[in-house]
Amino acid sequence: MTDPLIPLSTTTVAAAFGSQSIEVLNRECFCVSLDSGALRQALESEIGQPGLFDLLQQRCPHLFAERPVFLSHAHIARMTELVRAVESVVAMPAYREEVLRHSPAIARHDPGGAKGVFFGYDFHVTEGGFGLIEINTNAGGAMLNAVLARAQRACCPAIDALLPLPVTASEFEDRIVSMFRAEWSLSGYARSGHARPLRSIAIIDENPEQQYLYPEFLLFQQLFRRHGLQAVIAGPTEFKLRDGTLWHDKLAIDLVYNRLTDFALDAPASSTLREAYLQNAVVLTPHPQAHALYADKRNLTLLSDATRLDALGVPQATQDVLLAGIPSTEVVDPAHAERLWRERKKLFFKPFAGFGGRAAYRGDKLTQRVWQEILAGGYVAQALVTPGGRVVSDAEPMQVLKFDLRDYVYGGSVQWIAARLYQGQTTNFRTPGGGFAPVYEGPADGLAGWAEKDCVQ
């Protein structure tokens, strides 16, 4: 095991990537870490949010991991291939008809071309395992990862070559703004005068200032303002619908960046937003139809079932990608309770509309009380895919954290890949040493051409 103050040699790094093995780097490389000074500068100088670094430290002390996660080019390519396969199926009229048949009525409302921002395709990836474990439609953390990319340092030229450059983070932020402008442009029906450019955005969540990721809302607000857009952060009850326009105080809202977990806008607090959406008075993104088509966990039962895919007319090549990359998933049926209980140690149980790991359970951790709740309905059982592991310190006792990977996707294209380090059953941002972590990709041809010299001068 390598001393945390002595980085790996370039030879070791090259050997790891050259063999398409990233386990040695995730186990033994400690020479890259979060630069707190650079993080403060990124937040308070480059981003222009004085005091946000201290707010993050107070509110979210375990939001950013100090170590990166290493991933091979082959794994990244496979994730991209699976994203494209899912998107191709979701675009099929037969798939949409089948899924929307059991979705809330609001999901059948035509969003007028808006695709939905920040889809999160979440993966577990190891040398011996690979699986898309779920898709989310209001995936948080994108702006936080852009800031994180600005605040990395390496004490080794070999690893330094893999660091995400600040210009890359800036390009990602530009793509974020372009994505929101695209949502506005695509929703051509929204209201009179829609041909004009996007002017205003409301970032909406329930009690936003109390949300754990509220600092990210501030980052989005500042990003939008830097690009000439008016932006407010508010709860859903702070709006009025008048004369076909959604208003926040005296500001007419063009587009709502929806961070609510009330996915069907059923809650009384969402009534004004729901009416504005149904009247086409505002562009809402992501919207209820996107959640129904992508994020309802029951969709994974279809996407991992060869018989149902064949019935939909999905091409065999696409089926092969889906079936190899999506763990077998089924709706929990009390008629199969005995079998599912017997096989529970190999399963993970999730609610249909779950998010953030809430009410999700590893089968080997189930109690009889929780099992009865699962059997009552609203759950899927998914074949367990082991998450990756990242050693974050070799001090005794050695600290090993799990990690998952999130592809941020818009319009079928992967915009950014981030890792999340954690302990426990699911990601929680409460683990010391855990949180969002940058992902460093090895070149497709390995690193064999690098200089054969130790990183330490």
Side-chain angles (χ1 to χ4, degrees), residues 1-13 24-25 28-33 67 70 153-160 390 394 453-457:
M1 185 61 63
T2 309
D3 187 286
L5 298 180
I6 302 177
L8 295 174
S9 68
T10 303
T11 303
T12 304
V13 175
V24 64
L25 293 174
E28 298 185 14
C29 181
F30 308 103
C31 70
V32 183
S33 63
R67 309 297 180 195
F70 296 94
R153 61 178 172 84
C155 55
C156 160
I159 300 299
D160 191 58
R390 176 63 162 111
D394 65 348
K453 63 181 180 179
D454 196 273
C455 296
V456 178
Q457 302 300 317

Side-chain angles (χ1 to χ4, degrees), residues 234-360:
T237 60
E238 298 179 44
F239 297 84
K240 301 293 183 183
L241 181 60
R242 297 195 307 269
D243 302 323
T245 298
L246 187 68
W247 294 85
H248 180 267
D249 196 12
K250 296 181 180 179
L251 178 64
I253 302 299
D254 290 337
L255 182 148
V256 167
Y257 173 26
N258 178 21
R259 293 290 290 255
L260 291 168
T261 55
D262 176 20
F263 302 115
L265 305 180
D266 284 332
S270 303
S271 60
T272 299
L273 185 59
R274 177 189 181 91
E275 189 61 28
Y277 175 62
L278 292 175
Q279 289 187 20
N280 302 331
V282 73
V283 176
L284 179 71
T285 184
H287 45 70
Q289 187 175 103
H291 182 270
L293 292 173
Y294 288 87
D296 189 313
K297 304 300 185 291
R298 287 172 291 186
N299 299 342
L300 297 172
T301 69
L302 190 163
L303 294 170
S304 63
D305 186 326
T307 301
R308 296 177 70 188
L309 291 172
D310 196 56
L312 291 177
V314 177
Q316 188 59 53
T318 302
Q319 288 192 43
D320 292 343
V321 173
L322 295 172
L323 297 174
I326 301 179
S328 177
T329 308
E330 63 178 294
V331 173
V332 173
D333 185 339
H336 302 148
E338 183 177 345
R339 172 178 59 83
L340 291 170
W341 178 256
R342 187 172 62 249
E343 298 173 355
R344 69 189 184 281
K345 293 183 179 180
K346 299 179 180 180
L347 299 172
F348 204 99
F349 297 88
K350 302 177 181 181
F352 295 164
F355 62 94
R358 298 185 185 183

Side-chain angles (χ1 to χ4, degrees), residues 160-299:
D160 191 58
L162 302 178
L163 289 176
L165 301 174
V167 66
T168 302
S170 297
E171 289 172 350
F172 179 39
E173 291 173 350
D174 289 343
R175 289 199 295 270
I176 289 173
V177 175
S178 295
M179 174 176 62
F180 281 92
R181 294 191 193 278
E183 288 290 88
W184 172 253
S185 298
L186 288 168
S187 301
Y189 67 81
R191 60 190 175 94
S192 176
H194 190 275
R196 60 171 172 74
L198 175 66
R199 296 184 300 197
S200 59
I201 296 178
I203 304 162
I204 294 184
D205 203 350
E206 189 72 29
N207 300 314
E209 293 186 6
Q210 303 305 313
Q211 297 295 329
Y212 186 71
L213 292 185
Y214 173 66
E216 183 177 46
F217 298 169
L218 296 173
L219 289 172
F220 273 113
Q221 183 181 46
Q222 186 66 17
L223 174 68
F224 295 146
R225 288 175 174 174
R226 290 202 308 272
H227 285 78
L229 300 169
Q230 298 181 78
V232 296
I233 302 168
T237 60
E238 298 179 44
F239 297 84
K240 301 293 183 183
L241 181 60
R242 297 195 307 269
D243 302 323
T245 298
L246 187 68
W247 294 85
H248 180 267
D249 196 12
K250 296 181 180 179
L251 178 64
I253 302 299
D254 290 337
L255 182 148
V256 167
Y257 173 26
N258 178 21
R259 293 290 290 255
L260 291 168
T261 55
D262 176 20
F263 302 115
L265 305 180
D266 284 332
S270 303
S271 60
T272 299
L273 185 59
R274 177 189 181 91
E275 189 61 28
Y277 175 62
L278 292 175
Q279 289 187 20
N280 302 331
V282 73
V283 176
L284 179 71
T285 184
H287 45 70
Q289 187 175 103
H291 182 270
L293 292 173
Y294 288 87
D296 189 313
K297 304 300 185 291
R298 287 172 291 186
N299 299 342

